[in-house]
Amino acid sequence: MKTKIAVAQGDGIGPEIMDAVLRIFKANDVQLEYEFVEMGKSYFDAGHSTGMTAAAKEAIEKYGILFKGPMETPKGKGVKSINVTARKVWNTYANQRDFRTLNGVDTVFSKAGIPINLTIIRENIEDTYGGIEHLLTYDVAVGRRIITRPGSEQVIRYAFEMVRRKGYKKLACGHKANIMKLTDGLFLEVFQQVAKEYPDIEASDIIVDDLCMKLVSKPQMFEAIVLTNLQGDIVSDLCAGLVGGLGFAPSANIGDNISIFEAVHGTAPDIAGRGIANPTALLLSGIGMLRFLGYSANAAAIENALLYTLEQGAHTGDFGDKTATPSLGTDAFADAIIANLGKLPADGGVFASSDFETGHHRTPIKNKLTLTGAHVVEEMIGVDVFVESNVQPDELAAVAKKSLRFNENFELVMISNRGTQVWPTGSIYTELVNEYRIRFEKKPGTSIKQKEILHIAADLSEAVKVCSVEFLMNFDGKIGYTLAQGQ
């Protein structure tokens, strides 16, 4: 029986490259059946705020696989990216992107004889991609960055298992825990904990700016790298540049129940309809999907045909030696791959093996809720109150102290501006904006309740505008908040 999947052609060049890829699948007798679903810009324009119809959502959740072309999110209309929304709604927590040197695709590294073969695993659900932002004042915008222990463990464990399947020996964790000590610190902590279960894999960590420098100077140092969402997004595009661009960068978004395989490059509206787009990235993504579905023989045959075609110098207009051979259009390039089915490249041929654990679609009966730390002792010790004010720090401190006149359990310990302490000590050279953080902590030997903390904010609101409130917590005696710069 054929396996049925949902297919979204995408916007711009999407329909052209999707048609080319599906023709290659058909020529290799891939046993897939397609239900084409409606997603993308035209459905935003038709009034679907999620960018997809109800029928599309139903089909994707029924089959558990979405194969999609590039999609555009309308700008300036207050709608969320359909690409990010799809990944988050269906909890495709691991974004796997494989980068390797391809014969016929010249780069500075291929010309230097330095082969690249590395995989980026990007956390796909959390981080700043929650899109939780607020204007606290006219001058100050904030975004909430969410990193969770269960979400980190999901993607990190996937990365270690992927390393084993691929036969790699090393996995690095890219992070910025030297600055974001709680968020990236949590991600790194989980990485180090999970690494203990994989003693056969060399686990290391590297600060992300150092990682970027090493990737553009010595990419052969790395086999696989796992990162948080935003950093993984940036680093994966950097890696695409190492191997020829996004036109050669496949993408798999893996979840426990639903997975998405897509081209991550843009919709290229300037060349849409001209028949000259490069289908390679979408084809490589489709090859990954075939492996995920268990069609390893088809995947190997199609990939070998692609590699042979590239090796022979065939190319679309965006790459290759245009003086040696003329550029091919989308259909002609696909026809060349079809004609080369059954042929093996002289270098870099692949076998019928899986880079993925074969997917098994399940329909849950309720939302999964993952909890950790059931035995962790929690203690509430204070509060950060964020306020709008245009007075000097000493003046604001006097106002803050007045809010404690009815509560002797707390004391004012610090005021900061843009993360830098400005009271009780600071520098006259620290420039200010009109949003402060006021930190109150309980006095030693006292116990407090949440209601008391909220009363502090309420009393403070009589004098200044309260923008936001964050509780200060200890977990098993370890503080769950950061100090201000200079504190």
Side-chain angles (χ1 to χ4, degrees):
M1 292 180 61
K2 290 186 176 182
T3 300
K4 196 162 188 177
I5 67 171
V7 175
Q9 293 180 306
D11 301 315
I13 62 172
E16 301 165 62
I17 60 175
M18 182 63 75
D19 179 68
V21 170
L22 297 186
R23 283 201 302 113
I24 294 169
F25 283 4
K26 182 178 180 180
N28 194 239
D29 197 28
V30 175
Q31 295 297 297
L32 290 179
E33 185 177 347
Y34 312 116
E35 180 168 334
F36 291 90
V37 298
E38 299 175 332
M39 298 175 66
K41 182 179 183 297
S42 61
Y43 304 102
F44 279 119
D45 293 342
H48 299 283
S49 62
T50 60
M52 72 180 82
T53 63
K57 181 175 182 292
E58 181 180 349
I60 295 163
E61 293 182 350
K62 178 180 179 181
Y63 305 128
I65 292 287
L66 172 62
F67 188 33
K68 64 182 285 291
M71 291 184 181
E72 178 184 348
T73 300
K75 295 179 176 64
K77 295 188 177 181
V79 295
K80 297 285 189 179
S81 162
I82 181 61
N83 304 302
V84 175
T85 297
R87 297 167 196 159
K88 289 172 65 65
V89 165
W90 292 309
N91 206 61
T92 61
Y93 53 82
N95 177 224
Q96 177 174 330
R97 295 175 69 181
D98 300 301
F99 304 94
R100 62 172 172 152
T101 300
L102 297 171
N103 289 336
V105 182
D106 288 336
T107 68
V108 292
F109 294 101
S110 66
K111 291 177 180 178
I114 301 173
I116 295 173
N117 184 15
L118 65 90
T119 298
I120 300 294
I121 301 295
R122 164 193 172 192
E123 195 285 318
N124 221 18
I125 305 298
E126 304 181 343
D127 202 353
T128 53
Y129 285 72
I132 305 171
E133 300 179 299
H134 297 87
L135 275 170
L136 296 191
T137 76
Y138 182 76
D139 291 336
V140 180
V142 298
R144 181 164 291 213
R145 184 173 194 248
I146 298 175
I147 303 291
T148 71
R149 196 176 300 274
S152 299
E153 183 174 352
Q154 267 188 322
V155 69
I156 289 167
R157 191 172 298 281
Y158 175 89
F160 275 102
E161 290 294 330
M162 181 277 302
V163 165
R164 277 185 174 171
R165 282 193 300 273
K166 280 181 170 284
Y168 290 166
K169 301 299 181 184
K170 300 186 293 184
L171 175 64
C173 174
H175 64 87
K176 196 65 177 172
N178 58 322
I179 301 298
M180 292 176 283
K181 298 182 183 299
L182 293 185
T183 48
D184 270 39
L186 176 59
F187 191 81
L188 177 59
E189 177 188 333
V190 173
F191 175 82
Q192 292 168 337
Q193 290 171 345
V194 175
K196 296 175 183 178
E197 303 176 33
Y198 297 84
D200 53 315
I201 297 171
E202 179 186 331
S204 62
D205 71 274
I206 181 169
I207 296 174
V208 69
D209 39 341
D210 186 29
L211 170 64
C212 290
M213 182 187 69
K214 286 184 168 62
L215 280 170
V216 298
S217 58
K218 298 180 180 179
Q220 69 273 23
M221 293 175 55
F222 301 97
E223 292 183 333
I225 307 165
V226 62
L227 303 105
T228 56
N229 201 336
L230 178 59
Q231 294 167 10
D233 192 5
I234 295 167
V235 170
S236 58
D237 273 25
L238 182 154
C239 290
L242 303 180
V243 297
L246 288 173
F248 305 97
S251 179
N253 304 281
I254 306 299
D256 289 337
N257 300 305
I258 296 173
S259 296
I260 304 168
F261 296 82
E262 62 182 342
V264 294
H265 57 66
T267 59
D270 55 320
I271 62 169
R274 295 171 57 188
I276 60 175
N278 180 2
T280 303
L282 186 61
L283 179 59
L284 288 169
S285 300
I287 289 168
M289 178 183 70
L290 296 181
R291 290 196 173 98
F292 183 79
L293 292 171
Y295 295 105
S296 296
N298 292 110
I302 294 171
E303 186 167 358
N304 281 324
L306 169 64
L307 295 175
Y308 181 88
T309 302
L310 293 173
E311 204 171 65
Q312 298 304 303
H315 60 90
T316 50
D318 58 321
F319 75 100
D321 188 348
K322 302 174 183 61
T323 60
T325 55
S327 300
L328 300 177
T330 309
D331 288 340
F333 187 69
D335 290 339
I337 296 170
I338 291 169
N340 290 327
L341 286 166
K343 297 178 181 178
L344 295 174
D347 184 35
V350 297
F351 300 97
S353 59
S354 178
D355 288 346
F356 300 93
E357 180 181 357
T358 302
H360 300 285
H361 177 51
R362 299 181 295 273
T363 302
I365 58 174
K366 59 182 179 180
N367 293 94
K368 179 182 177 183
L369 175 63
T370 303
L371 299 173
T372 65
H375 304 294
V376 171
V377 177
E378 298 184 6
E379 181 187 14
M380 189 175 297
I381 65 168
V383 63
D384 279 344
V385 183
F386 296 82
V387 303
E388 178 177 351
S389 177
N390 58 6
V391 303
Q392 289 293 304
D394 285 342
E395 298 174 71
L396 185 60
V399 171
K401 288 177 180 178
K402 286 182 180 179
S403 69
L404 296 177
R405 61 189 182 276
F406 301 120
N407 196 327
E408 297 181 351
N409 289 336
F410 291 87
E411 58 186 347
L412 174 65
V413 297
M414 183 272 294
I415 299 176
S416 69
N417 193 287
R418 289 191 288 182
T420 301
Q421 179 175 280
V422 294
W423 186 93
T425 60
S427 170
I428 197 68
Y429 292 99
T430 301
E431 295 189 8
L432 309 176
V433 295
N434 66 342
E435 188 260 350
Y436 289 88
R437 171 179 49 162
I438 305 174
R439 175 165 292 175
F440 301 94
E441 292 182 8
K442 70 171 188 173
K443 294 178 179 178
T446 61
S447 60
I448 58 173
K449 297 179 181 180
Q450 179 175 308
K451 186 176 181 179
E452 293 179 77
I453 286 179
L454 296 175
H455 274 311
I456 291 177
D459 290 341
L460 193 57
S461 70
E462 293 180 0
V464 292
K465 173 188 168 186
V466 172
C467 303
S468 179
V469 174
E470 292 287 351
F471 296 152
L472 305 180
M473 302 291 298
N474 275 359
F475 298 92
D476 278 345
K478 182 179 178 182
I479 63 171
Y481 54 92
T482 56
L483 300 179
Q485 298 290 338
Q487 187 178 4

